[in-house]
Amino acid sequence: MERPAAARSDVLLDIPYRWILCWLLLPNLIVILMWPIVGVPMQAGIALSGALAFVVSQLPWRPVRALGVAAIIVMVSTLYVSHLFAIPPLNIELITQSVSDIRPLQSPEYAIAGALLLAIMGTAIHLAPRVRPFSGWMQPLYAALAVMLFINLDGALAFDGRQLHRSLPSAGTPIDSAVRHAQLSPAAKPRHNVLIIMVEALGMPSTPEERAIFASDWNRPEWSRRYDVRQGTTRYFGSTTNGELRELCDRWAHYSGFDFDHADCLPHRFQRAGYETTAMHSFGGQLFDRRNWYPKIGFENLAFSDELWREGAGRCPGVFPGACDADVPAIIGRKLAGARKPQFIYWLTLNTHVPVVEDDALGTNHCSVGPKEWRAEYPGLCRLFQLHHILADRISALAMSPELPPTDILIVGDHKPPLFDRASNGRFDPGHVPWVYLRARDITPSSTPPALAPPSR
């Protein structure tokens, strides 16, 4: 039997359209707008924001409702960024350090996102407190159904991002690392110096244009004159710190929950074998607490941006400003050439942290790698590969320098570049990063004066 038109009309009138718009969709608008771009799954965040909106929207005080909707937007944005970069959302100290050390307005993408977030918050503060509380029992039911529908939509439309943003694998997943593949060990004979370079956002390309650029940078025929060269891929999960623990401590772990005091990591093993151990990073040492936990895993010497600047490295801009990666190989070369005992050096690069900005100091104003059509279609990718090319040139110059004593060099990516569009993201292997291992043959270094001063950019 067909339902009367008046009854159907009453049902439609019971739907809290304004509540759905102002308390559900508007506070989560950033999530919606990012669906076609990155697609970070946010079901838990949406459920939490919906539950808070249910409570706050029914309070009788308009100023409290205004503060409440603003707090919900801040919460959703924080959870989204934390999930995107695989960092703990409740680590207040880390968030404070990020605000003080990172320069998001250097990137047009982040600047636009910031302006959009402010506009969303202003609109929500203006509209949401004016929405009347629920009446009857049907309106909260419809609101709950809207929240559940939104959660399911997010699950469907953000599906592509699930594997990309997994911080850790499932329990029991065997560890995989470039260090394992290269069989790096202080017991190896003869006792060469060891240099591990973890390259920020060095992903494994999966399409022809990027594969050709990658091969020209990281598969150089001249290396075989001095090194036994091996290449491969290794699995990765999460962000850079996950990659560091993967390679240095042989663990799938997040630094915030890792037991550094009882770990037997690679730097400790080399230190016990008589090596001098050094960690270098072109950013500051406070972010992610590296200045504290690097010594706990066996690094005697630390060189972050301040120390590298004093050694002659230039200052490079960007969202993550710090020392110029292009200058660090020369600093490493001088340290290795003047060392009196075997060296174990670990260097984490910085400048290729995406998004890569256009800047003369970085060498990204005029991208020249890859085919012309590819450069026009993927300018962000081009800038990233340009910086990787510059970095590969400087690493190669160090590796082939006649003043360099026998040094085994392992180059490995931390994670694929977390690019802000799905088309570019799809051009990389979603679960593996590349590694290159240069195992030195024993060649006596030249007695000529070192030629390892930082080259001009």
Side-chain angles (χ1 to χ4, degrees), residues 172-456:
T173 301
I175 187 69
D176 188 22
S177 72
V179 166
R180 283 195 169 210
H181 288 292
Q183 299 180 320
L184 280 186
S185 168
K189 302 295 181 183
R191 284 163 61 91
H192 294 168
N193 296 314
V194 174
L195 170 61
I196 298 178
I197 304 172
M198 178 162 282
V199 180
E200 171 63 40
L202 182 65
M204 188 68 235
S206 58
T207 46
E209 295 88 349
E210 290 84 358
R211 279 187 174 275
I213 301 169
F214 179 90
S216 66
D217 282 337
W218 304 107
N219 187 15
R220 302 189 177 213
E222 64 268 24
W223 288 346
S224 61
R225 298 201 301 266
R226 187 170 180 179
Y227 299 90
D228 295 321
V229 182
R230 293 168 53 201
Q231 297 190 6
T233 63
T234 187
R235 296 184 72 186
Y236 82 92
F237 293 90
S239 62
T240 302
T241 51
N242 298 82
E244 292 185 276
L245 294 179
R246 178 192 77 220
E247 298 298 338
L248 296 176
C249 296
D250 202 36
R251 292 289 185 274
W252 300 126
H254 194 282
Y255 84 97
S256 63
F258 190 70
D259 186 3
F260 291 106
D261 294 324
H262 298 93
D264 185 26
C265 296
L266 197 64
H268 264 142
R269 297 201 290 273
F270 274 91
Q271 186 184 40
R272 290 196 299 268
Y275 282 71
E276 181 180 359
T277 58
T278 301
M280 297 179 170
H281 181 34
S282 303
F283 201 53
Q286 305 309 316
L287 193 64
F288 299 116
D289 207 28
R290 289 187 176 99
R291 197 174 286 277
N292 288 326
W293 64 263
Y294 274 4
K296 291 182 178 181
I297 64 173
F299 286 116
E300 304 168 77
N301 310 311
L302 305 178
F304 294 103
S305 54
D306 288 341
E307 292 84 2
L308 293 173
W309 287 330
R310 286 196 292 270
E311 289 290 328
R315 295 173 181 263
C316 275
V319 175
F320 291 79
C324 295
D325 288 336
D327 296 334
V328 177
I331 296 172
I332 294 173
R334 292 197 296 271
K335 181 174 179 62
L336 291 173
R340 298 183 176 223
K341 61 188 297 190
Q343 300 289 305
F344 176 86
I345 298 177
Y346 165 71
W347 171 35
L348 172 64
T349 72
L350 172 70
N351 302 152
T352 48
H353 204 294
V354 297
V356 176
V357 301
E358 294 184 51
D359 197 284
D360 278 334
L362 288 171
T364 53
N365 263 357
H366 303 286
C367 189
S368 58
V369 299
K372 182 178 179 181
E373 298 78 9
W374 175 85
R375 295 198 299 265
E377 187 173 359
Y378 299 101
L381 268 184
C382 191
R383 292 193 295 272
L384 175 66
F385 275 90
Q386 178 93 358
L387 280 187
H388 279 152
H389 172 70
I390 294 170
L391 179 66
D393 277 351
R394 301 301 167 85
I395 292 173
S396 185
L398 168 66
M400 300 305 294
S401 169
E403 289 80 35
L404 185 73
T407 301
D408 299 335
I409 304 173
L410 176 63
I411 305 161
V412 61
D414 53 355
H415 52 72
K416 72 176 285 296
L419 298 158
F420 293 158
D421 69 273
R422 293 194 181 190
S424 296
N425 264 321
R427 303 179 78 82
F428 292 88
D429 185 321
H432 297 82
V433 288
W435 57 267
V436 181
Y437 182 44
L438 310 181
R439 169 71 178 171
R441 302 192 189 102
D442 291 304
I443 300 174
T444 302
S446 169
S447 59
T448 57
L452 290 166
S456 61

